[in-house]
PDB file of all heavy atoms in Angstrom:
ATOM      1  N   GLN O  38     -29.298-177.687  16.064  1.00 88.00           N
ATOM      2  CA  GLN O  38     -29.796-176.322  16.218  1.00 88.00           C
ATOM      3  C   GLN O  38     -31.106-176.295  16.987  1.00 88.00           C
ATOM      4  O   GLN O  38     -32.034-177.047  16.699  1.00 88.00           O
ATOM      5  CB  GLN O  38     -29.992-175.688  14.845  1.00 88.00           C
ATOM      6  CG  GLN O  38     -30.378-174.221  14.891  1.00 88.00           C
ATOM      7  CD  GLN O  38     -29.233-173.348  15.357  1.00 88.00           C
ATOM      8  OE1 GLN O  38     -28.109-173.492  14.892  1.00 88.00           O
ATOM      9  NE2 GLN O  38     -29.508-172.434  16.274  1.00 88.00           N
ATOM     10  N   LYS O  39     -31.174-175.424  17.991  1.00 91.00           N
ATOM     11  CA  LYS O  39     -32.389-175.263  18.779  1.00 91.00           C
ATOM     12  C   LYS O  39     -32.850-173.814  18.714  1.00 91.00           C
ATOM     13  O   LYS O  39     -32.040-172.906  18.557  1.00 91.00           O
ATOM     14  CB  LYS O  39     -32.131-175.670  20.234  1.00 91.00           C
ATOM     15  CG  LYS O  39     -31.599-177.093  20.403  1.00 91.00           C
ATOM     16  CD  LYS O  39     -31.261-177.371  21.859  1.00 91.00           C
ATOM     17  CE  LYS O  39     -30.662-178.759  22.030  1.00 91.00           C
ATOM     18  NZ  LYS O  39     -29.322-178.866  21.427  1.00 91.00           N
ATOM     19  N   PRO O  40     -34.147-173.563  18.858  1.00 96.00           N
ATOM     20  CA  PRO O  40     -34.637-172.182  18.873  1.00 96.00           C
ATOM     21  C   PRO O  40     -34.087-171.424  20.069  1.00 96.00           C
ATOM     22  O   PRO O  40     -33.776-172.007  21.105  1.00 96.00           O
ATOM     23  CB  PRO O  40     -36.162-172.347  18.983  1.00 96.00           C
ATOM     24  CG  PRO O  40     -36.446-173.766  18.613  1.00 96.00           C
ATOM     25  CD  PRO O  40     -35.243-174.545  18.997  1.00 96.00           C
ATOM     26  N   ASP O  41     -34.004-170.088  19.926  1.00 97.00           N
ATOM     27  CA  ASP O  41     -33.620-169.258  21.070  1.00 97.00           C
ATOM     28  C   ASP O  41     -34.699-169.298  22.146  1.00 97.00           C
ATOM     29  O   ASP O  41     -34.404-169.257  23.342  1.00 97.00           O
ATOM     30  CB  ASP O  41     -33.388-167.818  20.622  1.00 97.00           C
ATOM     31  CG  ASP O  41     -32.147-167.662  19.762  1.00 97.00           C
ATOM     32  OD1 ASP O  41     -31.245-168.519  19.864  1.00 97.00           O
ATOM     33  OD2 ASP O  41     -32.085-166.693  18.980  1.00 97.00           O
ATOM     34  N   PHE O  42     -35.960-169.377  21.706  1.00 98.00           N
ATOM     35  CA  PHE O  42     -37.087-169.439  22.634  1.00 98.00           C
ATOM     36  C   PHE O  42     -38.142-170.387  22.081  1.00 98.00           C
ATOM     37  O   PHE O  42     -38.315-170.479  20.862  1.00 98.00           O
ATOM     38  CB  PHE O  42     -37.733-168.061  22.837  1.00 98.00           C
ATOM     39  CG  PHE O  42     -36.815-167.024  23.408  1.00 98.00           C
ATOM     40  CD1 PHE O  42     -36.139-166.151  22.561  1.00 98.00           C
ATOM     41  CD2 PHE O  42     -36.618-166.919  24.776  1.00 98.00           C
ATOM     42  CE1 PHE O  42     -35.278-165.190  23.070  1.00 98.00           C
ATOM     43  CE2 PHE O  42     -35.758-165.958  25.295  1.00 98.00           C
ATOM     44  CZ  PHE O  42     -35.086-165.090  24.450  1.00 98.00           C
ATOM     45  N   THR O  43     -38.840-171.064  22.980  1.00 97.00           N
ATOM     46  CA  THR O  43     -39.986-171.877  22.574  1.00 97.00           C
ATOM     47  C   THR O  43     -41.121-171.675  23.572  1.00 97.00           C
ATOM     48  O   THR O  43     -40.890-171.416  24.761  1.00 97.00           O
ATOM     49  CB  THR O  43     -39.656-173.386  22.526  1.00 97.00           C
ATOM     50  OG1 THR O  43     -39.164-173.800  23.808  1.00 97.00           O
ATOM     51  CG2 THR O  43     -38.632-173.692  21.463  1.00 97.00           C
ATOM     52  N   LYS O  44     -42.325-171.786  23.062  1.00 98.00           N
ATOM     53  CA  LYS O  44     -43.514-171.711  23.900  1.00 98.00           C
ATOM     54  C   LYS O  44     -44.534-172.675  23.320  1.00 98.00           C
ATOM     55  O   LYS O  44     -44.722-172.729  22.105  1.00 98.00           O
ATOM     56  CB  LYS O  44     -44.075-170.283  23.908  1.00 98.00           C
ATOM     57  CG  LYS O  44     -45.335-170.099  24.743  1.00 98.00           C
ATOM     58  CD  LYS O  44     -45.824-168.650  24.666  1.00 98.00           C
ATOM     59  CE  LYS O  44     -47.109-168.441  25.442  1.00 98.00           C
ATOM     60  NZ  LYS O  44     -47.595-167.033  25.326  1.00 98.00           N
ATOM     61  N   ALA O  45     -45.176-173.463  24.182  1.00 98.00           N
ATOM     62  CA  ALA O  45     -46.142-174.440  23.681  1.00 98.00           C
ATOM     63  C   ALA O  45     -47.142-174.797  24.763  1.00 98.00           C
ATOM     64  O   ALA O  45     -46.866-174.671  25.963  1.00 98.00           O
ATOM     65  CB  ALA O  45     -45.425-175.697  23.206  1.00 98.00           C
ATOM     66  N   ALA O  46     -48.305-175.249  24.317  1.00 98.00           N
ATOM     67  CA  ALA O  46     -49.277-175.877  25.204  1.00 98.00           C
ATOM     68  C   ALA O  46     -49.046-177.379  25.122  1.00 98.00           C
ATOM     69  O   ALA O  46     -48.887-177.937  24.037  1.00 98.00           O
ATOM     70  CB  ALA O  46     -50.700-175.527  24.777  1.00 98.00           C
ATOM     71  N   VAL O  47     -49.013-178.029  26.277  1.00 98.00           N
ATOM     72  CA  VAL O  47     -48.674-179.446  26.349  1.00 98.00           C
ATOM     73  C   VAL O  47     -49.784-180.204  27.063  1.00 98.00           C
ATOM     74  O   VAL O  47     -50.332-179.724  28.061  1.00 98.00           O
ATOM     75  CB  VAL O  47     -47.336-179.644  27.109  1.00 98.00           C
ATOM     76  CG1 VAL O  47     -47.022-181.127  27.290  1.00 98.00           C
ATOM     77  CG2 VAL O  47     -46.196-178.935  26.394  1.00 98.00           C
ATOM     78  N   THR O  48     -50.119-181.391  26.547  1.00 98.00           N
ATOM     79  CA  THR O  48     -50.981-182.306  27.287  1.00 98.00           C
ATOM     80  C   THR O  48     -50.157-183.525  27.692  1.00 98.00           C
ATOM     81  O   THR O  48     -49.390-184.068  26.888  1.00 98.00           O
ATOM     82  CB  THR O  48     -52.202-182.767  26.474  1.00 98.00           C
ATOM     83  OG1 THR O  48     -51.768-183.440  25.282  1.00 98.00           O
ATOM     84  CG2 THR O  48     -53.075-181.588  26.101  1.00 98.00           C
ATOM     85  N   LEU O  49     -50.293-183.918  28.945  1.00 98.00           N
ATOM     86  CA  LEU O  49     -49.662-185.121  29.472  1.00 98.00           C
ATOM     87  C   LEU O  49     -50.767-186.098  29.840  1.00 98.00           C
ATOM     88  O   LEU O  49     -51.547-185.845  30.762  1.00 98.00           O
ATOM     89  CB  LEU O  49     -48.827-184.794  30.709  1.00 98.00           C
ATOM     90  CG  LEU O  49     -47.464-184.131  30.519  1.00 98.00           C
ATOM     91  CD1 LEU O  49     -46.914-183.650  31.855  1.00 98.00           C
ATOM     92  CD2 LEU O  49     -46.492-185.106  29.878  1.00 98.00           C
ATOM     93  N   SER O  50     -50.850-187.210  29.120  1.00 98.00           N
ATOM     94  CA  SER O  50     -51.891-188.201  29.386  1.00 98.00           C
ATOM     95  C   SER O  50     -51.278-189.431  30.035  1.00 98.00           C
ATOM     96  O   SER O  50     -50.300-189.996  29.523  1.00 98.00           O
ATOM     97  CB  SER O  50     -52.600-188.598  28.091  1.00 98.00           C
ATOM     98  OG  SER O  50     -53.227-187.474  27.489  1.00 98.00           O
ATOM     99  N   LEU O  51     -51.859-189.842  31.168  1.00 98.00           N
ATOM    100  CA  LEU O  51     -51.401-191.029  31.881  1.00 98.00           C
ATOM    101  C   LEU O  51     -52.287-192.194  31.464  1.00 98.00           C
ATOM    102  O   LEU O  51     -53.526-192.115  31.570  1.00 98.00           O
ATOM    103  CB  LEU O  51     -51.473-190.808  33.385  1.00 98.00           C
ATOM    104  CG  LEU O  51     -50.778-189.542  33.917  1.00 98.00           C
ATOM    105  CD1 LEU O  51     -50.862-189.483  35.439  1.00 98.00           C
ATOM    106  CD2 LEU O  51     -49.331-189.481  33.449  1.00 98.00           C
ATOM    107  N   ILE O  52     -51.655-193.297  31.006  1.00 98.00           N
ATOM    108  CA  ILE O  52     -52.408-194.379  30.387  1.00 98.00           C
ATOM    109  C   ILE O  52     -52.057-195.716  31.042  1.00 98.00           C
ATOM    110  O   ILE O  52     -50.884-196.079  31.155  1.00 98.00           O
ATOM    111  CB  ILE O  52     -52.116-194.450  28.871  1.00 98.00           C
ATOM    112  CG1 ILE O  52     -52.453-193.090  28.224  1.00 98.00           C
ATOM    113  CG2 ILE O  52     -52.903-195.567  28.213  1.00 98.00           C
ATOM    114  CD1 ILE O  52     -52.088-193.006  26.772  1.00 98.00           C
ATOM    115  N   GLU O  53     -53.078-196.455  31.463  1.00 98.00           N
ATOM    116  CA  GLU O  53     -52.884-197.758  32.074  1.00 98.00           C
ATOM    117  C   GLU O  53     -52.531-198.807  31.020  1.00 98.00           C
ATOM    118  O   GLU O  53     -52.671-198.585  29.814  1.00 98.00           O
ATOM    119  CB  GLU O  53     -54.154-198.178  32.816  1.00 98.00           C
ATOM    120  CG  GLU O  53     -54.486-197.324  34.028  1.00 98.00           C
ATOM    121  CD  GLU O  53     -55.724-197.797  34.750  1.00 98.00           C
ATOM    122  OE1 GLU O  53     -56.463-198.623  34.156  1.00 98.00           O
ATOM    123  OE2 GLU O  53     -55.954-197.371  35.882  1.00 98.00           O
ATOM    124  N   LYS O  54     -52.100-199.966  31.483  1.00 97.00           N
ATOM    125  CA  LYS O  54     -51.743-201.073  30.591  1.00 97.00           C
ATOM    126  C   LYS O  54     -52.903-201.442  29.680  1.00 97.00           C
ATOM    127  O   LYS O  54     -52.712-201.819  28.520  1.00 97.00           O
ATOM    128  CB  LYS O  54     -51.309-202.280  31.421  1.00 97.00           C
ATOM    129  CG  LYS O  54     -50.811-203.456  30.605  1.00 97.00           C
ATOM    130  CD  LYS O  54     -50.336-204.573  31.517  1.00 97.00           C
ATOM    131  CE  LYS O  54     -49.780-205.738  30.709  1.00 97.00           C
ATOM    132  NZ  LYS O  54     -49.276-206.835  31.601  1.00 97.00           N
ATOM    133  N   SER O  55     -54.118-201.309  30.187  1.00 97.00           N
ATOM    134  CA  SER O  55     -55.313-201.645  29.410  1.00 97.00           C
ATOM    135  C   SER O  55     -55.578-200.665  28.273  1.00 97.00           C
ATOM    136  O   SER O  55     -56.389-200.925  27.393  1.00 97.00           O
ATOM    137  CB  SER O  55     -56.542-201.671  30.328  1.00 97.00           C
ATOM    138  OG  SER O  55     -56.796-200.374  30.861  1.00 97.00           O
ATOM    139  N   GLY O  56     -54.897-199.521  28.308  1.00 97.00           N
ATOM    140  CA  GLY O  56     -55.132-198.476  27.320  1.00 97.00           C
ATOM    141  C   GLY O  56     -56.041-197.372  27.827  1.00 97.00           C
ATOM    142  O   GLY O  56     -56.258-196.374  27.129  1.00 97.00           O
ATOM    143  N   LYS O  57     -56.555-197.529  29.030  1.00 97.00           N
ATOM    144  CA  LYS O  57     -57.442-196.521  29.603  1.00 97.00           C
ATOM    145  C   LYS O  57     -56.652-195.293  30.041  1.00 97.00           C
ATOM    146  O   LYS O  57     -55.639-195.404  30.726  1.00 97.00           O
ATOM    147  CB  LYS O  57     -58.188-197.095  30.805  1.00 97.00           C
ATOM    148  CG  LYS O  57     -59.118-196.105  31.489  1.00 97.00           C
ATOM    149  CD  LYS O  57     -59.780-196.718  32.711  1.00 97.00           C
ATOM    150  CE  LYS O  57     -60.664-195.706  33.428  1.00 97.00           C
ATOM    151  NZ  LYS O  57     -61.290-196.294  34.641  1.00 97.00           N
ATOM    152  N   VAL O  58     -57.131-194.108  29.625  1.00 97.00           N
ATOM    153  CA  VAL O  58     -56.522-192.853  30.060  1.00 97.00           C
ATOM    154  C   VAL O  58     -57.074-192.513  31.434  1.00 97.00           C
ATOM    155  O   VAL O  58     -58.284-192.317  31.609  1.00 97.00           O
ATOM    156  CB  VAL O  58     -56.823-191.711  29.066  1.00 97.00           C
ATOM    157  CG1 VAL O  58     -56.229-190.403  29.570  1.00 97.00           C
ATOM    158  CG2 VAL O  58     -56.289-192.046  27.680  1.00 97.00           C
ATOM    159  N   THR O  59     -56.203-192.468  32.428  1.00 97.00           N
ATOM    160  CA  THR O  59     -56.646-192.199  33.803  1.00 97.00           C
ATOM    161  C   THR O  59     -56.623-190.725  34.143  1.00 97.00           C
ATOM    162  O   THR O  59     -57.349-190.280  35.037  1.00 97.00           O
ATOM    163  CB  THR O  59     -55.768-192.955  34.808  1.00 97.00           C
ATOM    164  OG1 THR O  59     -54.399-192.572  34.629  1.00 97.00           O
ATOM    165  CG2 THR O  59     -55.903-194.459  34.616  1.00 97.00           C
ATOM    166  N   GLU O  60     -55.792-189.951  33.441  1.00 97.00           N
ATOM    167  CA  GLU O  60     -55.734-188.518  33.727  1.00 97.00           C
ATOM    168  C   GLU O  60     -55.040-187.803  32.578  1.00 97.00           C
ATOM    169  O   GLU O  60     -54.086-188.330  31.999  1.00 97.00           O
ATOM    170  CB  GLU O  60     -54.962-188.259  35.024  1.00 97.00           C
ATOM    171  CG  GLU O  60     -54.974-186.800  35.471  1.00 97.00           C
ATOM    172  CD  GLU O  60     -54.308-186.624  36.841  1.00 97.00           C
ATOM    173  OE1 GLU O  60     -54.875-187.115  37.829  1.00 97.00           O
ATOM    174  OE2 GLU O  60     -53.234-186.003  36.889  1.00 97.00           O
ATOM    175  N   THR O  61     -55.535-186.624  32.247  1.00 98.00           N
ATOM    176  CA  THR O  61     -54.880-185.765  31.261  1.00 98.00           C
ATOM    177  C   THR O  61     -54.557-184.434  31.921  1.00 98.00           C
ATOM    178  O   THR O  61     -55.441-183.800  32.500  1.00 98.00           O
ATOM    179  CB  THR O  61     -55.764-185.545  30.020  1.00 98.00           C
ATOM    180  OG1 THR O  61     -55.980-186.804  29.363  1.00 98.00           O
ATOM    181  CG2 THR O  61     -55.078-184.595  29.043  1.00 98.00           C
ATOM    182  N   ARG O  62     -53.312-184.041  31.828  1.00 98.00           N
ATOM    183  CA  ARG O  62     -52.859-182.802  32.453  1.00 98.00           C
ATOM    184  C   ARG O  62     -52.529-181.779  31.382  1.00 98.00           C
ATOM    185  O   ARG O  62     -51.920-182.107  30.361  1.00 98.00           O
ATOM    186  CB  ARG O  62     -51.615-183.082  33.302  1.00 98.00           C
ATOM    187  CG  ARG O  62     -51.893-184.077  34.414  1.00 98.00           C
ATOM    188  CD  ARG O  62     -50.619-184.524  35.090  1.00 98.00           C
ATOM    189  NE  ARG O  62     -50.911-185.386  36.232  1.00 98.00           N
ATOM    190  CZ  ARG O  62     -49.980-185.942  36.989  1.00 98.00           C
ATOM    191  NH1 ARG O  62     -48.695-185.729  36.712  1.00 98.00           N
ATOM    192  NH2 ARG O  62     -50.319-186.709  38.012  1.00 98.00           N
ATOM    193  N   ASN O  63     -52.905-180.549  31.621  1.00 98.00           N
ATOM    194  CA  ASN O  63     -52.611-179.452  30.700  1.00 98.00           C
ATOM    195  C   ASN O  63     -51.498-178.604  31.298  1.00 98.00           C
ATOM    196  O   ASN O  63     -51.555-178.199  32.464  1.00 98.00           O
ATOM    197  CB  ASN O  63     -53.861-178.612  30.469  1.00 98.00           C
ATOM    198  CG  ASN O  63     -54.935-179.403  29.746  1.00 98.00           C
ATOM    199  OD1 ASN O  63     -54.752-179.823  28.614  1.00 98.00           O
ATOM    200  ND2 ASN O  63     -56.060-179.642  30.408  1.00 98.00           N
ATOM    201  N   VAL O  64     -50.497-178.350  30.468  1.00 98.00           N
ATOM    202  CA  VAL O  64     -49.268-177.712  30.929  1.00 98.00           C
ATOM    203  C   VAL O  64     -48.840-176.634  29.942  1.00 98.00           C
ATOM    204  O   VAL O  64     -48.951-176.819  28.724  1.00 98.00           O
ATOM    205  CB  VAL O  64     -48.127-178.756  31.063  1.00 98.00           C
ATOM    206  CG1 VAL O  64     -46.864-178.117  31.620  1.00 98.00           C
ATOM    207  CG2 VAL O  64     -48.567-179.931  31.940  1.00 98.00           C
ATOM    208  N   GLY O  65     -48.354-175.516  30.459  1.00 98.00           N
ATOM    209  CA  GLY O  65     -47.681-174.528  29.623  1.00 98.00           C
ATOM    210  C   GLY O  65     -46.180-174.740  29.734  1.00 98.00           C
ATOM    211  O   GLY O  65     -45.658-174.917  30.840  1.00 98.00           O
ATOM    212  N   GLU O  66     -45.503-174.760  28.602  1.00 98.00           N
ATOM    213  CA  GLU O  66     -44.060-174.996  28.612  1.00 98.00           C
ATOM    214  C   GLU O  66     -43.345-173.842  27.928  1.00 98.00           C
ATOM    215  O   GLU O  66     -43.730-173.406  26.842  1.00 98.00           O
ATOM    216  CB  GLU O  66     -43.716-176.306  27.912  1.00 98.00           C
ATOM    217  CG  GLU O  66     -42.225-176.632  27.929  1.00 98.00           C
ATOM    218  CD  GLU O  66     -41.917-177.998  27.338  1.00 98.00           C
ATOM    219  OE1 GLU O  66     -42.556-178.980  27.781  1.00 98.00           O
ATOM    220  OE2 GLU O  66     -41.069-178.090  26.441  1.00 98.00           O
ATOM    221  N   TYR O  67     -42.288-173.350  28.574  1.00 98.00           N
ATOM    222  CA  TYR O  67     -41.497-172.233  28.067  1.00 98.00           C
ATOM    223  C   TYR O  67     -40.029-172.647  28.041  1.00 98.00           C
ATOM    224  O   TYR O  67     -39.522-173.196  29.032  1.00 98.00           O
ATOM    225  CB  TYR O  67     -41.667-171.004  28.962  1.00 98.00           C
ATOM    226  CG  TYR O  67     -43.099-170.557  29.129  1.00 98.00           C
ATOM    227  CD1 TYR O  67     -43.934-171.150  30.068  1.00 98.00           C
ATOM    228  CD2 TYR O  67     -43.628-169.547  28.326  1.00 98.00           C
ATOM    229  CE1 TYR O  67     -45.254-170.757  30.214  1.00 98.00           C
ATOM    230  CE2 TYR O  67     -44.943-169.141  28.470  1.00 98.00           C
ATOM    231  CZ  TYR O  67     -45.751-169.743  29.410  1.00 98.00           C
ATOM    232  OH  TYR O  67     -47.061-169.347  29.539  1.00 98.00           O
TER     233      TYR O  67
END
Side-chain angles (χ1 to χ4, degrees):
Q38 186 70 47
K39 304 175 183 69
D41 291 337
F42 299 95
T43 56
K44 179 181 178 182
V47 176
T48 60
L49 283 169
S50 299
L51 308 183
I52 303 175
E53 293 182 346
K54 185 177 182 179
S55 64
K57 179 183 178 181
V58 178
T59 58
E60 186 174 292
T61 297
R62 299 170 175 179
N63 294 297
V64 183
E66 182 175 308
Y67 303 83

